[in-house]
């Protein structure tokens, strides 16, 4: 029996579309309810973004910011 989230089977394209629609400066994990909807099937959000997107790190006044991108969907 495979693991699925509370909304049933979710594809990686559905996850990418969800993340693409996340408002700027929102916590993607909270906004998408990743742990409940996608994580049982697709794994941790950080691993998913690293595999199917990209992470850019910038430092400003000693504070480190990460920008997460999901490319190649549209």
């Amino acid at each position: 029996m495979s693991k699925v989230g509370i909304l049933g089977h979710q594809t990686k394209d559905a996850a990418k579309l969800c993340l693409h629609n996340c408002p700027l400066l929102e916590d993607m994990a909270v906004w998408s309810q990743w742990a409940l909807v996608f994580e049982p099937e697709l794994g941790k959000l950080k691993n998913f973004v690293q595999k199917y997107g990209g992470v850019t790190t910038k430092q400003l006044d000693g504070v480190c910011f990460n920008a997460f991108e999901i490319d190649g969907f549209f």
Side-chain angles (χ1 to χ4, degrees), residues 25-36:
L25 302 178
E26 280 292 327
D27 181 323
M28 292 169 65
V30 173
W31 187 86
S32 68
Q33 297 187 20
W34 187 268
L36 297 172

Side-chain angles (χ1 to χ4, degrees), residues 7-66:
L7 297 179
H9 172 69
Q10 298 295 315
T11 65
K12 73 174 181 177
D13 288 339
K16 290 165 77 174
L17 182 60
C18 176
L19 296 175
H20 179 77
N21 286 304
C22 182
L24 294 175
L25 302 178
E26 280 292 327
D27 181 323
M28 292 169 65
V30 173
W31 187 86
S32 68
Q33 297 187 20
W34 187 268
L36 297 172
V37 177
F38 300 105
E39 189 172 308
E41 235 175 322
L42 301 174
K44 299 283 185 190
L45 176 60
K46 181 179 177 181
N47 296 337
F48 182 85
V49 171
Q50 287 174 335
K51 184 174 182 179
Y52 297 109
V55 179
T56 302
T57 303
K58 299 286 183 187
Q59 192 164 6
L60 178 64
D61 296 331
V63 178
C64 191
F65 294 92
N66 290 322

